[in-house]
């Protein structure tokens, strides 16, 4: 992953309230992408994303878990964030590093305080957001009611992209086994064995009316994101598929609409849908909102140019059993290469880059370089802290970040 074009990168974080299934959904995505060959379990301590001993013992996410991989020609970095408010600093750090947030909430338990906080923080950072109604296999799970509750709680237009299925009928519940993708019209069903075995085909004829109504409601909601498209739709009552997708992309990226899909991560339903949607609708780093940078008193506009001045934001520090202290960073501009000399803008300390590491949860691999939008780690830097800017030593660049939240107890 050393020579990836900026447009081929996707960086996103799983956010939401604790216990709603973020980690299991992340594991499902990794299995769909071929990173793992099994679905891990938080409860059993076998999750790929929750690998720290404390996380295994307590069965919760405590620290941001980062995994970089390639899938269908794209370079992904996904971050699983804690949902417990005691670790709010981890969520804030992750949101600095990504371009998109996947907001996971429980269809069984509804929209909670952590759901609202995560959405608000993601939008404050200028991130686009996709919502996932997880645990659709819970008794009496109601996708439409969940969508309405989400819309009311977050004050945003929710666009339902799925029609959940339970066998030959529409709806969730214990028989939930897939969905109709309302954009493509295809039916996606899954075996009940947690293997993620997916069958894609035409939906049952008996559901034609329900699918038609759901698709019409989806198109009407999408059209509200663009005045010209809405006017055309009201006049003609029809939009072309490419117009629907372009308008949805626009609505997602400016926060006018919040797309919603269904999932049952513990049954390995949802990971493949995320992988597909990320290809089409998640922004690449050159389409996302970049942080404010300064050189002295002058404000800089940094572009996602591999040949531009190098600047990277350190958003997390962690300890690796083999490499020691790792400073985890997101490259904003330019290209970071091994054997390069960079400078910490806060301290003025010059650093020689010995290694660049790609993170795959508990494991690492070595990279030759990272371009704009890339996320990686540098070992054993001197006095480097989260929030620091690392930049070309010839150009003094500082990236502005908000301070971490204050701890409630010491």
């Amino acid at each position: 992953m050393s020579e990836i074009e900026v447009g081929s990168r996707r960086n996103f974080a799983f956010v939401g309230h604790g216990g709603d299934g973020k980690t299991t959904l992340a594991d499902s995505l990794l299995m769909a992408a071929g990173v793992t060959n099994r679905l891990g379990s938080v409860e059993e301590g076998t999750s790929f994303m929750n690998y720290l001993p404390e996380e295994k013992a307590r069965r919760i996410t405590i620290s941001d878990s980062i995994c970089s991989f390639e899938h269908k020609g794209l370079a992904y970095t996904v971050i699983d964030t804690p949902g417990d408010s005691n670790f709010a600093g981890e969520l804030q750090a992750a949101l600095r590093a990504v371009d998109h947030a996947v907001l996971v909430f429980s269809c069984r338990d509804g929209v909670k305080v952590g759901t609202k906080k995560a959405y608000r923080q993601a939008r404050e950072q200028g991130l686009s957001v996709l919502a996932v109604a997880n645990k659709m296999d819970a008794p009496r799970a109601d996708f439409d009611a969940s969508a309405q509750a989400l819309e009311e709680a977050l004050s945003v237009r929710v666009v339902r992209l799925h029609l959940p299925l339970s066998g030959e009928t529409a709806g969730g519940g214990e028989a939930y086994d897939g969905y109709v993708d309302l954009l493509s019209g295809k039916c996606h069903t899954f075996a009940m064995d947690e293997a993620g075995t997916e069958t894609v085909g035409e939906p049952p004829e008996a559901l034609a009316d329900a699918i038609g109504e759901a698709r019409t409601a989806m198109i009407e909601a999408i059209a509200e994101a663009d005045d010209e498209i809405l006017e055309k739709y009201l006049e003609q009552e029809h939009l072309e598929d490419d117009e629907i997708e372009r308008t949805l992309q626009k609505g997602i990226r400016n926060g006018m609409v919040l797309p919603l899909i269904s999932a049952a991560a513990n049954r390995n339903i949802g990971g493949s849908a995320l992988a597909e949607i990320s290809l089409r609708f998640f922004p690449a780093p050159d389409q996302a909102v970049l942080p404010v940078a300064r050189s002295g008193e002058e404000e800089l506009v940094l572009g996602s140019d591999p040949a531009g001045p190098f600047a990277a934001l350190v958003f997390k520090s962690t300890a690796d059993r083999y490499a020691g202290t790792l400073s985890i960073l997101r490259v904003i501009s330019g290209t970071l290469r091994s054997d390069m000399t960079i400078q910490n803008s806060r301290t003025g300390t010059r650093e020689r880059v010995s290694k660049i590491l790609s993170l795959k949860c508990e494991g690492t691999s070595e990279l030759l370089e990272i371009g704009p939008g890339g996320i990686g780690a540098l070992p054993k830097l001197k006095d480097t802290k989260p929030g620091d800017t690392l930049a070309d030593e010839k150009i003094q660049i500082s990236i502005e970040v908000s301070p971490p939240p204050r701890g409630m107890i010491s």
Side-chain angles (χ1 to χ4, degrees):
M1 295 173 62
S2 60
E3 299 179 0
I4 300 294
E5 294 182 2
V6 64
S8 296
R9 292 189 181 276
R10 298 291 186 274
N11 303 320
F12 56 94
F14 291 87
V15 304
H17 198 92
D20 282 356
K22 299 183 300 298
T23 301
T24 307
L25 186 60
D27 279 344
S28 178
L29 170 65
L30 297 185
M31 188 171 173
V35 178
T36 65
N37 58 10
R38 59 169 177 80
L39 182 66
S41 168
V42 174
E43 291 297 317
E44 296 175 6
T46 59
S47 168
F48 193 70
M49 299 297 281
N50 274 15
Y51 59 87
L52 297 176
E54 280 291 306
E55 292 177 326
K56 291 178 182 290
R58 298 177 184 272
R59 298 174 183 175
I60 62 170
T61 301
I62 293 173
S63 176
D64 289 336
S65 180
I66 303 169
C67 186
S68 296
F69 58 93
E70 292 186 27
H71 178 59
K72 291 188 176 181
L74 293 184
Y76 287 85
T77 297
V78 298
I79 305 179
D80 178 35
T81 69
D84 191 307
S85 59
N86 289 297
F87 310 111
E90 294 288 310
L91 170 62
Q92 186 186 74
L95 294 178
R96 292 173 182 166
V98 298
D99 309 306
H100 189 90
V102 175
L103 180 69
V104 183
F105 74 103
S106 169
C107 197
R108 179 187 65 196
D109 302 323
V111 180
K112 304 174 192 171
V113 173
T115 315
K116 299 176 186 178
K117 286 184 176 180
Y119 178 75
R120 185 181 69 246
Q121 287 185 254
R123 291 301 302 144
E124 287 173 353
Q125 291 283 344
L127 303 185
S128 54
V129 184
L130 166 78
V132 181
N134 193 28
K135 302 188 180 181
M136 280 295 304
D137 57 332
R140 297 181 298 280
D142 191 324
F143 188 65
D144 290 339
S146 295
Q148 185 176 349
L150 193 66
E151 193 165 87
E152 292 172 356
L154 304 183
S155 300
V156 63
R157 190 70 160 102
V158 172
V159 180
R160 283 161 268 193
L161 302 184
H162 284 179
L163 178 68
L165 298 177
S166 295
E168 295 288 313
T169 62
E174 293 171 286
Y176 172 77
D177 63 351
Y179 54 86
V180 175
D181 181 338
L182 296 175
L183 289 168
S184 68
K186 295 296 183 181
C187 180
H188 298 250
T189 55
F190 296 80
M192 296 291 200
D193 56 4
E194 299 183 10
T197 306
E198 182 177 8
T199 302
V200 181
E202 298 301 320
E205 291 184 10
L207 292 176
D209 290 343
I211 293 170
E213 291 175 7
R215 180 172 166 82
T216 297
M218 177 194 73
I219 295 172
E220 289 175 353
I222 291 173
E224 293 180 15
D226 186 292
D227 290 340
E228 290 185 10
I229 290 293
L230 179 59
E231 184 177 349
K232 177 181 177 181
Y233 180 71
L234 292 175
E235 290 177 356
Q236 302 179 10
E237 296 186 352
H238 175 76
L239 293 175
E240 300 295 334
D241 289 346
D242 62 333
E243 292 177 313
I244 295 170
E245 292 215 4
R246 284 201 309 270
T247 307
L248 180 56
Q249 286 177 339
K250 178 181 177 181
I252 293 172
R253 291 172 188 178
N254 63 22
M256 288 285 291
V257 299
L258 176 62
L260 175 67
I261 65 172
S262 64
N266 63 312
R267 288 186 180 173
N268 211 353
I269 304 175
S272 60
L274 270 180
E276 177 64 26
I277 286 175
S278 66
L279 287 168
R280 299 157 66 186
F281 298 111
F282 288 10
D286 56 351
Q287 300 167 327
V289 177
L290 294 177
V292 176
R294 295 187 180 277
S295 179
E297 296 299 318
E298 180 184 358
E299 187 171 307
L300 299 178
V301 178
L302 293 177
S304 299
D305 181 5
F310 170 71
L313 175 66
V314 177
F315 65 92
K316 180 178 173 64
S317 293
T318 189
D320 181 84
R321 71 175 81 175
Y322 303 112
T325 301
L326 296 180
S327 298
I328 305 173
L329 53 81
R330 153 79 182 253
V331 176
I332 307 298
S333 171
T335 302
L336 177 66
R337 298 182 177 88
S338 56
D339 295 329
M340 185 176 173
T341 300
I342 56 178
Q343 187 173 43
N344 185 316
S345 298
R346 177 179 62 86
T347 64
T349 304
R350 297 171 70 246
E351 301 275 6
R352 187 74 173 176
V353 178
S354 59
K355 286 184 180 179
I356 306 172
L357 300 177
S358 174
L359 303 173
K360 189 171 288 187
C361 298
E362 192 172 13
T364 62
S365 59
E366 197 164 340
L367 300 174
L368 297 176
E369 63 181 40
I370 308 179
I375 293 175
L378 300 181
K380 301 177 182 178
L381 299 185
K382 306 169 189 172
D383 192 28
T384 298
K385 301 177 181 179
D388 284 354
T389 302
L390 300 177
D392 189 317
E393 60 179 339
K394 299 176 183 177
I395 304 173
Q396 295 297 316
I397 297 176
S398 179
I399 298 170
E400 293 188 352
V401 296
S402 54
R406 292 182 60 186
M408 298 301 291
I409 58 175
S410 60

